[in-house]
Amino acid sequence: ELDAALVAIHGTGLNMRGDIVASRSWPLGAIAEDLRRVASQTPMTAKEFTRINRAFGELHADALEAVCSDAGVQPDLAVLHGQTVFHAPPLSWQLIDPWPTATRLRCRVRYDLRSANIASGGQGAPITPLADFMLFASPDEPCIVVNLGGFVNATLLPRRCDSIDLIRGYDICACNHVLDHLARTRLHAAFDRDGMAASAGQCDEGICARIENAIQPSPTSHARPRSLGTGDEAIRIIEMTSHLRAEDACRTAVEAIARCIARTLCSETNASAPTPHSIPLLIAGGSARNRALHTALTSHWNGPVRTTNESHGIPVGMREAAAMAILGACADDGVRYTLPSVTGARSVVMESALIENGNTNFPDFRAV
């Protein structure tokens, strides 16, 4: 699905906050298989690349037009991340044609959000930690935002009153790339809805250890953050679980991912793995709906584990959409949204590409 959110931005610069006014998840339809083909490096003609790029851009315009129409709002800025079909810095491609959105919404459009940082010597990922700080940082205690998307990425947030220089963020391991591949090949479904199959399975400890070893991050220094982008682990993991029942394969993969997350975060928060830490985890992304994964995380982390919907009223599927709106508004305000402590380099030019347009007189609803 394509997640679109209409976000009201209040304030400017580092003092801004965002409230979701309306949101919608839009089915990808046939374009989903096209995007998988591109991401898997399937050879195709320039015409095919161009067709997929345009179709994906039209789909964005459809979704944004619908969410704005439903809310009765004309936005003055749209922010498009696109689909990451390749990421191995210094090479990265977030596929999207922004022009259908610009022409149909008649608003300014920001896109290509990572290239400036990569060209400046950074990893170009993760890019959401500053937005996480604005959306989720607590005045009272640190917390960790864990996005359970194609990859697991984590943002370690200081208190809201602390310096943004204390924010840390990195990718941890593959998540939906693995779980959805398992669902397609073993359950013959797009994904394991609510983790029902995994909840009905048993964990194979031997295979679980092998999967965790395959997906766990290699040691990195803070000067060179970890940035992932292929999901090649999925194919290897499918092969590891081939002799297991489908439900057991799903449960084993979920357990391995949860253990990898907990172990990595324990290490990063100076706890002695596998002893869990008490810092709250706020989970978002598609697999935050996977009850088996939520349960596994809770069992390996003795602090509270809550969804972003439970903690801040932001639906788990809309965290990234809301974050993109924040990043676009930051760029409008002249704030570089990538953090050197996260991506490894400071962007030397203003970030994101911009299509100018005429409708800029709606300050209460500045970004989608």
Side-chain angles (χ1 to χ4, degrees):
E1 292 182 332
L2 175 66
D3 298 317
L6 178 65
V7 180
I9 302 294
H10 308 282
T12 59
L14 296 177
N15 295 316
M16 76 172 64
R17 63 183 178 86
D19 297 319
I20 293 182
V21 176
S23 62
R24 173 181 284 207
S25 293
W26 200 265
L28 290 175
I31 196 71
E33 181 57 34
D34 288 333
L35 294 173
R36 276 195 288 269
R37 288 169 54 222
V38 176
S40 65
Q41 314 305 308
T42 301
M44 60 184 70
T45 65
K47 179 180 179 180
E48 275 293 278
F49 277 119
T50 305
R51 179 191 64 78
I52 293 167
N53 194 46
R54 172 50 63 93
F56 198 42
E58 294 288 356
L59 191 72
H60 278 68
D62 291 341
L64 294 176
E65 209 169 40
V67 76
C68 291
S69 176
D70 289 348
V73 170
Q74 167 64 54
D76 70 353
L77 174 65
V79 187
L80 310 180
H81 177 270
Q83 177 70 31
T84 298
V85 294
F86 186 80
H87 184 74
L91 303 178
S92 187
W93 185 15
Q94 284 68 51
L95 183 147
I96 185 68
D97 181 346
W99 290 101
T101 293
T103 57
R104 288 166 59 181
L105 265 65
R106 300 294 181 90
C107 70
R108 299 161 64 249
V109 178
R110 288 193 177 274
Y111 64 102
D112 194 10
L113 307 181
R114 301 179 187 270
S115 292
N117 186 256
I118 293 173
S120 301
Q123 293 283 292
I127 60 172
T128 56
L130 184 60
D132 285 335
F133 180 77
M134 295 177 181
L135 290 169
F136 303 115
S138 164
D140 304 317
E141 61 180 351
C143 66
I144 302 174
V145 179
V146 179
N147 185 62
L148 303 171
F151 294 97
V152 178
N153 48 64
T155 305
L156 281 65
L157 295 175
R159 297 173 303 169
R160 184 71 194 231
C161 59
D162 294 331
S163 169
I164 62 171
D165 293 336
L166 298 176
I167 300 172
R168 286 181 287 157
Y170 41 81
D171 294 340
I172 295 178
C173 64
C175 184
N176 290 350
H177 280 300
V178 170
L179 300 182
D180 291 353
H181 199 122
L182 268 173
R184 288 194 299 271
T185 58
R186 303 299 304 278
L187 303 176
H188 307 293
F191 56 93
D192 180 9
R193 186 174 297 278
D194 298 329
M196 292 179 62
S199 296
Q202 298 293 320
C203 177
D204 182 300
E205 291 295 334
I207 299 299
C208 181
R210 290 177 59 194
I211 294 175
E212 186 183 356
N213 184 63
I215 65 175
Q216 69 182 350
S218 56
T220 58
S221 70
H222 292 295
R224 192 65 174 174
R226 174 173 165 85
S227 171
L228 302 174
T230 62
D232 292 339
E233 295 98 331
I235 296 174
R236 297 197 303 272
I237 288 168
I238 298 307
E239 294 170 350
M240 290 183 198
T241 63
S242 60
H243 66 287
L244 300 178
R245 288 191 317 130
E247 293 82 2
D248 295 343
C250 293
R251 180 59 173 268
T252 300
V254 158
E255 186 67 27
I257 291 168
R259 292 179 189 182
C260 186
I261 294 169
R263 189 179 299 274
T264 303
L265 293 179
C266 282
S267 175
E268 290 293 331
T269 54
N270 297 317
S272 298
T275 303
H277 204 279
S278 60
I279 297 175
L281 296 188
L282 308 181
I283 61 172
S287 279
R289 303 184 185 98
N290 186 313
R291 294 169 187 164
L293 183 53
H294 193 160
T295 299
L297 275 173
T298 300
S299 70
H300 294 293
W301 190 265
N302 71 354
V305 179
R306 298 189 294 266
T307 67
T308 54
N309 194 27
E310 293 169 334
S311 64
H312 290 79
I314 295 179
V316 295
M318 294 298 158
R319 171 257 179 188
E320 285 193 322
M324 293 305 119
I326 292 284
L327 298 185
C330 283
D332 268 8
D333 291 343
V335 175
R336 285 176 171 80
Y337 51 74
T338 58
L339 302 174
S341 60
V342 173
T343 66
R346 173 180 170 80
S347 297
V348 299
V349 295
M350 187 50 62
E351 294 163 316
S352 81
L354 173 65
I355 299 173
E356 288 283 4
N357 218 318
N359 293 327
T360 57
N361 298 317
F362 301 90
D364 290 336
F365 298 94
R366 289 176 34 202
V368 297

